[in-house]
Amino acid sequence: MIVVAGEALIDLVPQGARGDAGLPDLAPRLGGGPYNTAVALGRLGSSVAFCSRVSRDAFGEALLDGLRAAGVDVAPVQRGAEPTTLAVASIGADGSAGYSFYVEGTADRLFAAPEALPAGTRAVSFGTCSLVLEPGATAYEEMMRSAAAQGVCTALDPNIRAGLIPDADAYRARFKSWLASTTLLKLSEDDAEWLGGTPREWLAAGPAAVVVTRGGDGLTAFTRDGGEHTVPGERVDVVDTIGAGDTVNAALLHGLSRLDALSPAAIAGLDGDAWSRLLRFAARAAAITCSRAGAEPPYADELVGPAW
């Protein structure tokens, strides 16, 4: 079982031409980095559960329906009467996405750390807004440290949303404090630049591996033994990049599970062939997500190449 912990929200994505008032037509899409990761894992065929706090409003019900449709266990989900978080997306000419958020008084911010992980949990994935917005951020941090202390594999994708971070230096210091409790760190090239530091510095602080994504230019995994494993990106006609990084998270965790490598020692012991196979799988999965609008990660039968 892989547990994904973090926010579920609604992305409002531009669709078609602007309306009569000059405003963009916005289509609601199920989203949030952790939510997308959980859906992608379910579609790939992993045993996965989602741990979050979701509103009882219509958006919240739709989010839970989306998880169930992907085969995700929603038993750990907490519920609340507060509204669902909204994220308004803007799409650049190259398909890249920017976001503005409506987060005050929303349900996911009031997440409480569970007393125990679901039975059979082998890995827990964290990231994005859930590690920024209090008081939930402290609860997710507590969950991360507790899981690591139990020897559970932990994955972290900071997925920086700078507009939500009131004190950049304080967040950077907090990020560094998480590394001792992180098994696999995945982040984009832009995230790495914003955070400062290098993969080698982060590895020295705790993770067994660091994976840096560079959009269409591919992915690189850095390992404690000095290894550096790079694969190119998969070429595709990009509609938008919403959910691409989340799909990479899911593909990495799914592949590691298939390799029986969801532990610090096992990840540290992967050879170059295994990393190449894993990264190429993640690149293929992300490319499919980029080829369609919104966060729509692939199903297992859409992926070609080596099977897990």
Side-chain angles (χ1 to χ4, degrees):
M1 170 76 74
I2 298 171
V3 175
V4 182
E7 79 278 356
L9 53 78
I10 296 296
D11 286 325
L12 298 176
V13 181
Q15 179 174 279
R18 290 178 175 266
D20 293 340
L23 297 174
D25 289 328
L26 298 173
R29 302 289 182 115
L30 310 178
Y35 181 91
N36 297 336
T37 297
V39 168
L41 277 163
R43 290 184 177 185
L44 290 173
S46 280
S47 174
V48 55
F50 190 59
C51 187
S52 183
R53 190 170 187 274
V54 173
S55 175
R56 294 192 184 94
D57 65 14
F59 284 144
E61 293 300 330
L63 287 161
L64 288 184
D65 286 345
L67 290 166
R68 294 187 187 103
V72 179
D73 181 0
V74 298
V77 173
Q78 304 162 23
R79 304 300 301 275
E82 305 80 12
T84 298
T85 295
L86 302 177
V88 180
S90 58
I91 308 300
D94 61 353
S96 61
Y99 299 90
S100 56
F101 292 88
Y102 296 84
V103 299
E104 292 304 319
T106 52
D108 54 318
R109 294 188 69 164
L110 300 179
F111 173 80
E115 293 184 1
L117 295 171
T121 298
R122 300 180 63 204
V124 189
S125 176
F126 299 90
T128 319
C129 309
S130 56
L131 289 172
V132 175
L133 299 171
E134 296 291 4
T138 294
Y140 285 112
E141 183 179 276
E142 176 187 336
M143 186 179 176
M144 179 194 300
R145 297 190 193 283
S146 174
Q150 296 172 53
V152 174
C153 178
T154 57
L156 171 63
D157 176 12
N159 201 7
I160 299 300
R161 300 289 182 246
L164 287 177
I165 300 174
D167 186 334
D169 288 340
Y171 179 87
R172 291 180 180 114
R174 195 172 189 181
F175 162 75
K176 290 179 182 178
S177 78
W178 297 330
L179 296 177
S181 301
T182 299
T183 308
L184 175 67
L185 172 64
K186 173 264 165 188
L187 70 174
S188 71
E189 201 170 35
D190 288 343
D191 291 342
E193 182 178 354
W194 189 92
L195 286 163
T198 67
R200 294 296 167 202
E201 291 171 356
W202 300 325
L203 284 167
V210 174
V211 174
V212 178
T213 64
R214 303 187 308 281
D217 293 329
L219 306 85
T220 300
F222 300 85
T223 54
R224 283 185 186 169
D225 61 1
E228 188 171 325
H229 311 283
T230 298
V231 302
E234 296 276 335
R235 298 304 169 190
V236 67
D237 291 332
V238 175
V239 175
D240 64 50
T241 63
I242 297 173
D246 311 321
T247 300
V248 170
N249 285 343
L252 292 173
L253 289 167
H254 179 77
L256 288 169
S257 176
R258 292 295 187 266
L259 291 169
D260 196 22
L262 285 176
S263 73
I267 291 174
L270 292 177
D271 61 18
D273 287 343
W275 276 113
S276 178
R277 184 182 179 194
L278 185 62
L279 296 174
R280 288 183 186 279
F281 180 72
R284 288 197 303 274
I288 293 174
T289 301
C290 290
S291 73
R292 44 206 188 193
E296 286 293 341
Y299 293 86
D301 60 8
E302 294 182 272
L303 291 165
V304 297
W308 292 104

